[in-house]
Amino acid sequence: MLIIRKIISVIAFIATCVTASNIVCEAPLQTTCIAIEIEKIESINETIEIVGSENGAQYYPAVTGFYAISKDLDMQYIPSNIFKIMPNLEYFYAYEVNLKQLPTDSFKRCSKLHQISLAKNSIETLGQGFAIGCSNAYLLDLSYNQITELTAASFKGLTSLTTLTINFNFIEVIGKGTFDTMPVLTLISMSMNKISTVHPNAFMKLSNLGSLVLNDNRIKVIKSGWFANKNFLATVNLQSNEISAIEPNFLTEWTSSNLNTTKSFNYELNLMGNNCIKTNMKEISDKTTKYYENSLYKCFEEYENNYFFKNFP
């Protein structure tokens, strides 16, 4: 019951932040939540002394939520000992506070952290193992930043992560093994980037992947390896890319993997807005696979004629 109340509390708080200009914790400062708002808080220094607050922060063992949400707060970096001062943090939100970097070990002693949201900042690079201690985190949101490159080393330690959202960045390549350190991922959302190349084995080890969202990128070729060894892959959004060629057996590989799990599985594939797609395809199922194969004939032909013998990952 306590867990349910916490979830409802977090959802209600997030909704309040979106709709209201003032950030208000549900409980008083030092009880369960610290909210940073520019009208009350001037800055956060290296020792987590909150300058301008009525009570200078020294040690907050009861705090489970840290929320910094302000266009005027120049946070720039995450203070190195924040999890020493607040050892029981479960939710960490730093939204639009001008974060510029996530160096190695940005998060230390964060074993109780569940959700990390660093959206709408100015982050360009992810340090190796920036969240190395966050073994229980299940959500990471890095949307609306300036990230150009992803590596497996950056995500090291996030072994329980199920949701990864990196929309609206500048990523161009998804390489081999990028997500291998996050084996239980169920959702990857990387829409509105500049992705043109996806390694055929980029998602190979993600057997639990259920949704892959890569719309509005620059992907040119679909490789069947993306869909291999998936037990639950139900939704793939590749709308508005530059796809002109598709490896012919990608449908067979995808549907057969899912059919091994359940006979009544529904699939959704969105390929609208691509070069070789004339049919407005929104859904695919085991009953209509043949229809889609016929519709994609030109894509298959393009792949076999122009990409089969080329090293085009």
Side-chain angles (χ1 to χ4, degrees):
M1 199 67 182
L2 180 61
I3 295 175
I4 295 175
R5 284 201 299 270
K6 280 188 177 182
I7 294 173
I8 293 173
S9 172
V10 171
I11 294 173
F13 175 79
I14 294 173
T16 301
C17 291
V18 172
T19 58
S21 57
N22 294 323
I23 303 166
V24 181
C25 286
E26 292 186 349
L29 190 68
Q30 298 189 43
T31 303
T32 61
C33 169
I34 285 184
I36 308 301
E37 52 181 322
I38 198 64
E39 291 81 5
K40 295 181 180 179
I41 306 298
E42 296 172 5
S43 64
I44 307 170
N45 67 16
E46 183 67 15
T47 59
I48 323 299
E49 178 185 353
I50 302 180
V51 181
S53 64
E54 295 178 1
N55 301 301
Q58 298 298 323
Y59 184 61
Y60 291 152
V63 169
T64 58
F66 179 91
Y67 306 93
I69 308 175
S70 174
K71 292 182 179 179
D72 300 312
L73 182 63
D74 191 23
M75 194 167 170
Q76 292 198 24
Y77 64 94
I78 297 172
S80 61
N81 64 340
I82 192 167
F83 294 98
K84 182 178 180 180
I85 302 297
M86 305 173 203
N88 294 306
L89 279 183
E90 297 178 10
Y91 309 98
F92 188 96
Y93 291 81
Y95 180 87
E96 207 169 11
V97 294
N98 200 31
L99 271 176
K100 295 184 182 299
Q101 54 183 325
L102 284 178
T104 298
D105 296 333
S106 290
F107 291 85
K108 289 183 178 180
R109 295 177 289 274
C110 57
S111 61
K112 296 185 179 181
L113 204 60
H114 294 158
Q115 298 183 11
I116 306 171
S117 180
L118 306 174
K120 215 163 186 178
N121 283 289
S122 303
I123 301 168
E124 295 182 4
T125 59
L126 302 178
Q128 293 190 12
F130 75 92
I132 191 68
C134 305
S135 58
N136 289 311
Y138 58 79
L139 181 148
L140 174 61
D141 186 1
L142 295 168
S143 299
Y144 292 94
N145 277 284
Q146 300 173 25
I147 301 167
T148 58
E149 184 181 5
L150 301 178
T151 65
S154 296
F155 298 116
K156 187 177 181 181
L158 292 169
T159 53
S160 298
L161 204 72
T162 60
T163 300
L164 177 64
T165 306
I166 318 181
N167 302 320
F168 290 91
N169 276 271
F170 300 99
I171 299 161
E172 297 182 4
V173 176
I174 299 179
K176 181 180 179 181
T178 299
F179 309 108
D180 286 2
T181 55
M182 300 174 285
V184 297
L185 275 176
T186 60
L187 167 64
I188 297 175
S189 183
M190 297 178 64
S191 62
M192 293 291 182
N193 276 273
K194 297 182 178 181
I195 301 168
S196 60
T197 301
V198 181
H199 193 279
N201 297 328
F203 314 106
M204 180 64 71
K205 293 187 178 181
L206 305 181
S207 59
N208 294 321
L209 189 63
S211 297
L212 179 61
V213 182
L214 296 172
N215 61 284
D216 292 277
N217 279 285
R218 300 173 182 176
I219 298 169
K220 296 176 174 60
V221 180
I222 295 179
K223 304 286 283 189
S224 64
W226 302 358
F227 310 102
N229 304 320
K230 306 295 177 293
N231 294 324
F232 306 104
L233 187 58
T235 303
V236 176
N237 188 344
L238 293 167
Q239 180 177 355
S240 299
N241 276 274
E242 299 174 7
I243 297 168
S244 61
I246 301 176
E247 193 168 0
N249 64 335
F250 98 101
L251 285 176
T252 304
E253 199 164 292
W254 179 20
T255 55
S256 62
S257 292
N258 285 289
L259 287 173
N260 287 334
T261 305
T262 173
K263 293 182 179 180
S264 59
F265 207 89
N266 293 319
Y267 310 100
E268 294 183 2
L269 172 67
N270 190 339
L271 289 172
M272 296 173 62
N274 283 286
N275 296 344
C276 66
I277 311 300
K278 292 185 178 180
T279 306
N280 289 329
M281 292 183 294
K282 292 184 178 180
E283 295 182 356
I284 182 172
S285 70
D286 54 315
K287 295 179 180 179
T288 58
T289 300
K290 186 175 182 180
Y291 165 74
Y292 284 104
E293 286 178 343
N294 292 336
S295 299
L296 297 172
Y297 177 75
K298 289 185 178 179
C299 302
F300 297 156
E301 189 176 54
E302 176 71 12
Y303 177 85
E304 291 182 330
N305 290 340
N306 296 308
Y307 296 104
F308 184 73
F309 295 106
K310 293 181 180 180
N311 183 18
F312 199 97

